[in-house]
DNA sequence: AAGGCGTGGAT
DNA sequence: TATCCAAGCCT
């Protein structure tokens, strides 16, 4: 199958089977950039509502540039990898202050925080229709099978093959449609498990299919083993207001808000852990520790059982001294919606609101 | 350059 | 239930 056969068949298939996605209704570089940042390591179906809400709130570079960080992070809450939102915000401020628009060069784009080779090529091809090839996890899977690539997908060898093939197969003048078609094929047909090879427009040329090796491609690196941990956090309420603190930079959930807490030590009860963590993190003595709920959630390779408690300050006039946060606030239940929390703490907030009147 | 960085859907 | 991992980037 020649490169032109491959791209012709792929584009014909894409024309009939492409999904109706919100970011496919525009060529606005800023909107395309927003969608691409959101789509990094994230499933398409989850991005849709975030994208629409974001574009509604921040329709252009200047509106995003003038937004405050809390608003930016709140709109991103639940999507994960929050440095993406913070970098996008930084980028908008940078572009806005210099009076520029989204750069239309690979170098200009990759010089911006959070934009790497994939995202730069995606913006170049989709928004500006420049002939830039791209490789994402979909392309890695499609090419691993089509060319029967016998190397781990993230290895230097495999990456060299992927980018070389992507460039060779790219039909000049149609990069935007073609790149999306290639990723769409990976998303809809060339599935991780049980790929729909009978419906594949390029099945004739697929080497792994012809060799019966579809299930053995792509070759992925071994994943990290999951770690089970127990955590506890304390929802301190005083005069009808909740104590929250803003997480430090350069740590997981940087810039998000949380209730003080942490991991249980060996043979430590959740109640003891809350008291200890509160003292370590805020120097506040607490008592009257009473359960709200136990929440199960996960992040990265951690599986967390989070024990959430209401608690009271032992000395009401004592002021917090922060050791694990950069800021703190006392906020009402309603105001909890205006701050971004990690998913586990957000789950707990939902549950505590159901109990708000009994506590 | 190997590991950090989130979350929930799919299977 | 447990495991994998998605339109990656940064250090």
């Amino acid at each position: 199958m020649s490169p032109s056969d491959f791209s012709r068949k792929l584009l014909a298939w894409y024309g009939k089977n492409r999904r109706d996605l919100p970011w496919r209704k525009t060529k606005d570089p800023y909107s395309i950039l927003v969608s691409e940042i959101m789509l990094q390591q994230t499933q398409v179906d989850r991005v849709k509502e975030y994208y629409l809400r974001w574009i509604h709130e921040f329709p252009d570079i200047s509106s995003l540039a003038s937004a405050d960080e809390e608003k930016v992070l709140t709109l991103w809450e639940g999507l994960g990898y929050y440095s993406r939102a913070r970098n996008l915000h930084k980028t908008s401020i940078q572009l806005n202050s210099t009076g520029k628009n989204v750069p239309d060069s690979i170098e200009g784009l990759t010089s911006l925080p959070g934009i790497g080779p994939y995202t730069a090529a995606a913006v170049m091809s989709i928004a500006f229709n420049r002939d830039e090839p791209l490789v994402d996890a979909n392309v890695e899977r499609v090419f691993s099978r089509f060319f029967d690539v016998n190397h781990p997908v993230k290895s230097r060898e495999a990456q060299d093959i992927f980018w070389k093939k992507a460039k060779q197969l790219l039909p000049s003048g149609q990069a935007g449609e073609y790149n999306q078609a290639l990723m769409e094929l990976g998303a809809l047909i060339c599935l991780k498990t049980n790929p729909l090879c009978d419906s594949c427009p390029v099945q004739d040329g697929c080497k792994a299919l012809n060799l019966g090796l579809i299930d053995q491609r792509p070759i992925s690196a071994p994943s990290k083993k999951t770690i089970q941990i127990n955590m506890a956090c304390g929802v301190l309420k005083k005069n009808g207001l909740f104590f929250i603190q803003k997480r430090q930079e350069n740590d997981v959930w940087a810039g998000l808000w949380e209730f003080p807490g942490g991991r249980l030590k060996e043979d430590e009860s959740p109640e003891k852990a809350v008291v200890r963590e509160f003292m370590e993190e805020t120097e506040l003595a607490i008592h009257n520790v009473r359960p709200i709920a136990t929440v199960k959630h996960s992040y990265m390779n951690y599986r967390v059982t989070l024990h959430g408690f209401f608690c009271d300050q032992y000395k009401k006039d004592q002021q917090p001294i922060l050791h694990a946060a950069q800021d703190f606030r006392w906020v009402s239940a309603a105001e909890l919606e205006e701050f971004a929390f990690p998913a586990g703490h957000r789950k707990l907030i939902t549950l505590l609101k159901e109990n708000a009147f009994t506590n």
Side-chain angles (χ1 to χ4, degrees):
Chain A
M1 186 178 291
S2 70
S4 60
D5 282 341
F6 184 91
S7 57
R8 186 170 43 75
K9 290 179 176 178
L10 184 60
L11 284 166
W13 170 85
Y14 182 63
K16 291 178 192 163
N17 298 282
R18 58 183 287 168
R19 286 171 292 180
D20 184 23
L21 304 174
W23 47 90
R24 286 182 176 163
K25 298 182 188 302
T26 181
K27 294 292 181 190
D28 170 49
Y30 164 77
S31 300
I32 298 298
L33 176 59
V34 169
S35 73
E36 290 301 336
I37 299 290
M38 284 187 172
L39 285 160
Q40 291 172 3
Q41 298 288 285
T42 309
Q43 291 157 343
V44 165
D45 284 338
R46 293 207 62 224
V47 169
K48 289 180 189 171
E49 66 172 293
Y50 284 91
Y51 171 82
L52 291 170
R53 201 171 47 166
W54 184 282
I55 293 297
H56 182 259
E57 200 74 31
F58 308 130
D60 49 35
I61 290 173
S62 65
S63 56
L64 177 57
S66 61
D68 63 58
E69 180 176 302
E70 303 311 334
K71 184 67 183 176
V72 167
L73 287 174
T74 300
L75 283 178
W76 205 273
E77 187 193 89
L79 258 193
Y81 289 134
Y82 297 93
S83 65
R84 294 182 296 170
R86 297 151 62 80
N87 283 334
L88 195 49
H89 193 201
K90 278 183 207 160
T91 287
S92 73
I93 292 169
Q94 198 172 319
L95 294 178
N96 196 51
S97 70
T98 54
K100 291 181 189 162
N101 213 316
V102 176
D104 62 346
S105 70
I106 293 287
E107 305 75 39
L109 285 161
T110 52
S111 73
L112 295 166
I115 301 182
Y118 163 79
T119 304
V123 171
M124 285 295 284
S125 61
I126 297 170
F128 299 114
N129 200 31
R130 304 291 182 80
D131 287 341
E132 291 291 344
L134 59 74
V135 174
D136 77 327
N138 288 301
V139 179
E140 288 172 355
R141 190 168 55 257
V142 170
F143 283 179
S144 285
R145 287 168 172 160
F146 193 83
F147 298 108
D148 187 33
V149 176
N150 189 21
H151 302 283
V153 285
K154 299 301 179 188
S155 68
R156 181 72 196 194
E157 295 92 329
Q159 288 295 318
D160 285 350
I161 294 171
F162 296 148
W163 283 92
K164 188 174 153 202
K165 296 294 186 186
K167 187 174 182 179
Q168 287 175 354
L169 294 175
L170 189 76
S172 183
Q174 304 179 82
E177 291 292 283
Y178 170 79
N179 282 338
Q180 291 185 81
L182 195 51
M183 293 189 282
E184 196 83 333
L185 185 73
L188 301 181
I189 300 292
C190 200
L191 308 173
K192 295 186 293 285
T193 55
N194 304 319
L196 310 174
C197 298
D198 290 343
S199 305
C200 180
V202 293
Q203 55 180 288
D204 289 347
C206 184
K207 205 167 173 183
L209 179 62
N210 292 330
L211 293 170
L213 294 173
I214 282 290
D215 291 341
Q216 298 173 50
R217 301 287 180 269
I219 298 172
S220 53
S223 56
K224 295 189 66 177
K225 73 170 182 181
T226 60
I227 300 168
Q228 170 68 42
I229 58 176
N230 290 300
M231 303 188 75
C233 68
V235 180
L236 172 58
K237 198 174 178 183
K238 186 170 74 172
N239 303 326
L241 300 178
F242 298 100
F243 179 86
I244 60 174
Q245 59 180 11
K246 188 176 174 70
R247 293 183 59 86
Q248 289 171 333
E249 309 295 319
N250 306 319
D251 194 4
V252 66
W253 300 303
L256 274 67
W257 295 76
E258 65 173 8
F259 304 109
R263 291 181 65 165
L264 276 59
K265 292 187 180 299
E266 187 91 5
D267 296 326
E268 185 180 38
S269 72
E271 289 83 353
K272 293 248 185 202
V274 172
V275 173
R276 176 182 53 74
E277 288 283 348
F278 236 105
M279 179 59 69
E280 289 175 3
E281 295 189 344
T282 69
E283 296 194 21
L284 293 178
I286 60 162
H287 67 156
N288 294 340
V289 175
R290 51 207 191 277
I292 302 168
T294 297
V295 171
K296 298 237 182 204
H297 70 112
S298 60
Y299 69 97
M300 311 309 300
N301 56 325
Y302 293 97
R303 303 292 167 266
V304 183
T305 301
L306 174 65
H307 303 270
F309 297 94
F310 283 117
C311 58
D312 298 326
Q313 233 177 292
Y314 189 67
K315 292 182 179 175
K316 293 266 187 184
D317 57 348
Q318 190 184 2
Q319 294 303 308
I321 297 168
L322 302 181
H323 294 287
Q326 54 174 308
D327 197 4
F328 74 91
R329 300 277 172 79
W330 291 94
V331 300
S332 68
E335 286 171 318
L336 289 172
E337 303 308 314
E338 298 166 20
F339 298 85
F341 288 83
H345 285 233
R346 178 53 71 187
K347 284 182 192 172
L348 191 62
I349 289 171
T350 302
L351 293 169
L352 82 83
K353 284 192 169 185
E354 293 167 5
N355 298 340
F357 297 106
T358 60
N359 286 277

